[in-house]
Amino acid sequence: MHPIIFFSKMDFSQSNLFGYIEDLQELTIIERPVRRSLKTPEEIERLTVDEELSDIERAVYLLSSGQDVQGTSVVANLPALMRQNPAETLRRVLPKIREVLHVAGVEMQLTAAVSFLTVLQEESVSIHTYSHSFLHIILQNLEHRDAGVSNAWLETLLAVIEALPKETIRHEILNPLVSKAQLSQTLQSRLVSCKIMGKLANKFEAHIIKREILPLVKSLCQDVEYEVRTCMCRQLEHIAKGIGTELTKTVVLPELVELARDEGSSVRLAAFETLVNLLDMFDADDRSQTVLPLVKSFCEKSFKADESILVSLSFHLGKLCNGLYGIFTPEQHLRFLEFYKKLSTLGLQQENGHNDNQLQLQTLEQEKKYISVRKNCAYNFPAMIVFVDPKNFHLELYSIFFCLCHDPEVPVRYTMAISFYEVAKLLNSGVYTIHKELVTLLQDESLEVLDALVGHLPEILELMTNGGENSGSESKLLSIPDLIPALTTAEQRAATSLKWRTHEKLLQKYACLPHIIPSDQIYYRFLHRMLTIILTNNVLPVQKAAARTLCVYLRYNRKQEQRHEVIQKLIEQLGQGKSYWNRLRFLDTCEFIMELFSKSFFCKYFFLPVLELTHDPVANVRMKLCYLLPKVKSTLKIPTDKHLLQQLELCIRKLLCQEKDKDVLTIVKRTVLELDRMEISVDAFQKRFYENDLLDQEKERQEHLLLEMEQLEKEKQQNEGRSTNINDKMFEKKRRDSKTSSVLAKSITLSVPGSSSSTSAGKEDKKSKLVRSQSFSTQALHPKYSNIDKCPNKSSATGYTSSVSGMGKSCMLSFSDDSFRTHSTGNSGNVAFPSSCSSRNLFNSADQKNNGNKESQSRKMSM
């Protein structure tokens, strides 16, 4: 026999290969007897069931003489049997299950508990029938020797109690409970009684609870076993809500005070947590005289002898501080705040090399406990902001916020990332103070932290850029100077990791950036990155998320030259790409284009490139295109797009005639039927398409306004350039000819009124257009991003008019007319920029040797 030896590098030489084969043969010889023993005829006969039996007969047969596995299968199938034939199942199957459960194993018991609960939830039978047939079985198995089985049946019973009528509960559950809760019963029985009493407190009136349940509660609170006292202590919260405020004050509170001083640490912990949860039911006197002293003693003991309560105390501290806020003196308020600060840095090394509690060596258990404490402090941080008032955040809590965001443990930073949005909301106008921590968490080394932060990233950035900046700020990036590098770093780290869901989520949330960051920054830092992800990433959900976000960026891009460049790249690199995978992503991108843009935009740029894919050599591309064709047809308007409709029909005919792939041909025929049933919208409004047409015209209007904004910005740049040149020349003339300015002032005054009236008219015209463009900016981008980007562009607004229709067309045409009128009158819309024609007339009307008109115009411009 050859020993099996594992080498770091396998040697497949002939001698070694024969050795491996012999070893494998020996292993198969060892396994053969085992395989034969599993297939004996007796076992096959025992597991065989007659196929002609009905479901009920088969279930009865398997429960009577089948294997345990078969019986468990029948019990699991009980809800289905109840749905099919409830009467026969109750008469024949359920009694067999009841017999089998007496000797059944753990697996069948757990399965039965789940099946009984499912039957109750599905309401296959009335509650009266259910209590008559199922309740006794549940109660019989409630005290099973296995704790897991007992808890499973208890959960089923507690759910049944919610649905049972009061009389049934009183006779079947409450009356036997008196004997089950006695000290003579087993520990398991008394624990079950505690949990049942907590559930019954909400089912009966206060006087019944006081007479029949409270004596048992007091008895179990003084039980000799600490497990029973702990369990009963946790049920006091439910009992207090059932009996009301008065009885809680006279009965429950004294029991809690006594249990809070119990010798068992778990009992004291349960009493503390119950006190915190019942704070709302205590008045100011009870809080100040009873609850507050207990809480103070808990805080004092937590660092000394009773560290077991430390984790629970840190978890409930926020709720506790706000619940006792009204009765705190200034000294107590400061003491609890300092206690929270101490917990927030518990276990971290200080500058002198010692821990907070002066321990040099920490056990692993202590380190885990300290991490949990700091995590709970991070969870309670929003509550502590409310406790100290957001106005005092920077003075009181910022240092703790900084420490928690830079904590060495991932769970602490993860919790801070989850609660970051709540903190930002509470700080409101003071949110600018935490922008550095936002950048820190975006660049965190753990992707879990980044994933937690990204969940509310759009809302956080909105608060950061709106709430934290002054009204006079020109750029939102003034409040977060490192935002763009942090966002790009976060995306690159997510892209290089194996957690593609985090990357997908990040790309989806980045669609909010046009509301936060200027258009040029989006174009240079993010838009091309999205295109790269579509082309190079191998995960389909990530590619789709990048494609949609790219379409959003394109939608709000404010420069026509940049938009045309991106559109051209989409068509060339995706639609006409060498890889069929890229062409499939092009079709996905076109779906997003149809969702975000107007119909006329899609028809102008993407309709024909999509139809070209009907000749694609890959069947999957043609198949995906066929699924997309109904959406493509819905973008057409008649009669404007009649030629495009003809192209669509021609492509469909070619597919029907020339398609050789059977699957594609089947989908083509199905698509043709769907296209025939579709109705195409027309340029005018129709009732059946009213809402869609209205939405489409709004999209089209916004696209036109983007063009108007760009055109106005170009004119503004040109006018500013000419203004600078004229100012320089006029300043020289003024200095040279200042002596004769008074002579020509009168003649200029006589000449100017006519031009000033046309100037004011042009000014009002441009002002109205600026107002319209700014209104779009407030809708599409953001109120503080209505400033127009400066970029020279040779594209004219009228070039886009030919492809649009409806309301948007009239809007665009009016803009073109105004623009033409402005240029034809020599840019009379601004006093500082007279046209060459009007200036020549003005110079001819006066004595040119004085050049006094230059000086007069310079004065009017300065005014």
Side-chain angles (χ1 to χ4, degrees), residues 299-313:
C299 295
E300 292 171 359
K301 291 179 181 179
S302 60
F303 281 106
K304 297 178 182 179
D306 193 5
E307 289 186 354
S308 60
I309 203 172
L310 200 59
V311 177
S312 178
L313 181 60

Side-chain angles (χ1 to χ4, degrees), residues 576-588:
Q576 300 170 1
K578 295 181 179 180
S579 171
Y580 84 97
W581 191 256
N582 289 340
R583 300 195 294 275
L584 288 174
R585 299 295 73 77
F586 176 70
L587 294 176
D588 291 330

Side-chain angles (χ1 to χ4, degrees), residues 166-180:
K166 290 182 181 180
E167 288 302 318
T168 304
I169 295 174
R170 191 183 185 103
H171 293 294
E172 300 293 340
I173 299 174
L174 183 57
N175 291 339
L177 193 65
V178 176
S179 62
K180 295 291 184 182

Side-chain angles (χ1 to χ4, degrees), residues 47 49 55 58-60 62-63 66-81 93 97 100-101 104 107-112 115:
L47 294 171
V49 181
D55 292 340
R58 185 183 297 109
V60 173
L62 292 176
L63 288 170
Q67 299 288 322
D68 288 343
V69 176
Q70 294 172 318
T72 303
S73 175
V74 172
V75 173
N77 198 40
L78 181 63
L81 294 175
V93 178
I97 292 177
V100 171
L101 285 177
E107 186 177 356
M108 187 180 292
Q109 289 276 357
L110 295 174
T111 306
S115 295

Side-chain angles (χ1 to χ4, degrees), residues 367-541:
E367 290 180 1
K368 290 181 180 178
K369 188 180 296 183
Y370 292 158
I371 293 170
S372 299
V373 168
R374 299 200 304 274
K375 178 183 175 182
N376 291 338
C377 289
Y379 167 77
N380 280 300
F381 196 86
M384 297 308 295
I385 292 179
V386 176
F387 181 64
V388 302
D389 195 319
K391 297 178 182 177
N392 301 322
F393 167 77
H394 194 274
L395 183 64
E396 300 287 352
L397 286 176
Y398 176 73
S399 59
I400 298 302
F401 184 76
F402 177 86
C403 290
L404 292 173
C405 288
H406 291 80
D407 196 275
E409 298 298 332
V410 172
V412 181
R413 303 197 305 274
Y414 175 84
T415 308
M416 285 305 297
I418 290 178
S419 61
F420 199 95
Y421 175 53
E422 295 296 327
V423 173
K425 281 198 302 184
L426 289 170
L427 294 180
N428 198 6
S429 60
V431 72
Y432 67 91
T433 57
I434 60 172
H435 71 272
K436 292 182 180 178
E437 284 66 37
L438 173 63
V439 172
T440 299
L441 293 176
L442 280 172
Q443 296 175 329
D444 196 275
E445 60 183 9
S446 172
L447 279 179
E448 295 178 8
V449 177
L450 178 62
D451 187 79
L453 184 68
V454 164
H456 288 287
L457 186 63
E459 295 87 350
I460 293 171
L461 293 178
E462 190 74 19
L463 289 169
M464 282 282 180
T465 52
N466 289 337
E469 103 180 314
N470 299 324
S471 58
S473 299
E474 295 180 358
S475 173
K476 294 188 174 188
L477 293 179
L478 292 177
S479 61
I480 318 178
D482 300 329
L483 175 63
I484 292 179
L487 291 172
T488 53
T489 302
E491 189 278 321
Q492 289 169 1
R493 288 191 62 256
T496 55
S497 71
L498 296 177
K499 298 182 179 180
W500 63 265
R501 288 182 177 84
T502 300
H503 194 200
E504 178 195 13
K505 183 179 178 182
L506 193 73
L507 295 176
Q508 290 171 349
K509 298 297 181 181
Y510 275 16
C512 74
L513 294 184
H515 304 282
I516 312 298
I517 298 174
S519 178
D520 276 347
Q521 294 283 354
I522 293 284
Y523 176 76
Y524 290 112
R525 302 299 293 272
F526 295 97
L527 194 147
H528 290 287
R529 174 60 182 164
M530 296 300 148
L531 184 59
T532 303
I533 292 171
I534 300 172
L535 291 170
T536 60
N537 199 282
N538 296 324
V539 182
L540 180 58

Side-chain angles (χ1 to χ4, degrees), residues 245-304:
T245 306
E246 292 300 325
L247 282 175
T248 297
K249 182 177 181 180
T250 57
V251 178
V252 176
L253 186 57
E255 293 293 335
L256 280 175
V257 172
E258 185 176 351
L259 291 169
R261 301 181 180 127
D262 195 273
E263 60 184 7
S265 60
S266 62
V267 181
R268 295 196 301 271
L269 179 61
F272 168 74
E273 293 178 352
T274 305
L275 273 172
V276 175
N277 294 331
L278 291 177
L279 275 177
D280 296 338
M281 300 190 69
F282 302 139
D283 55 24
D285 292 337
D286 292 333
R287 294 180 189 180
S288 60
Q289 298 174 10
T290 307
V291 179
L292 184 57
L294 284 174
V295 171
K296 289 171 65 177
S297 71
F298 276 119
C299 295
E300 292 171 359
K301 291 179 181 179
S302 60
F303 281 106
K304 297 178 182 179

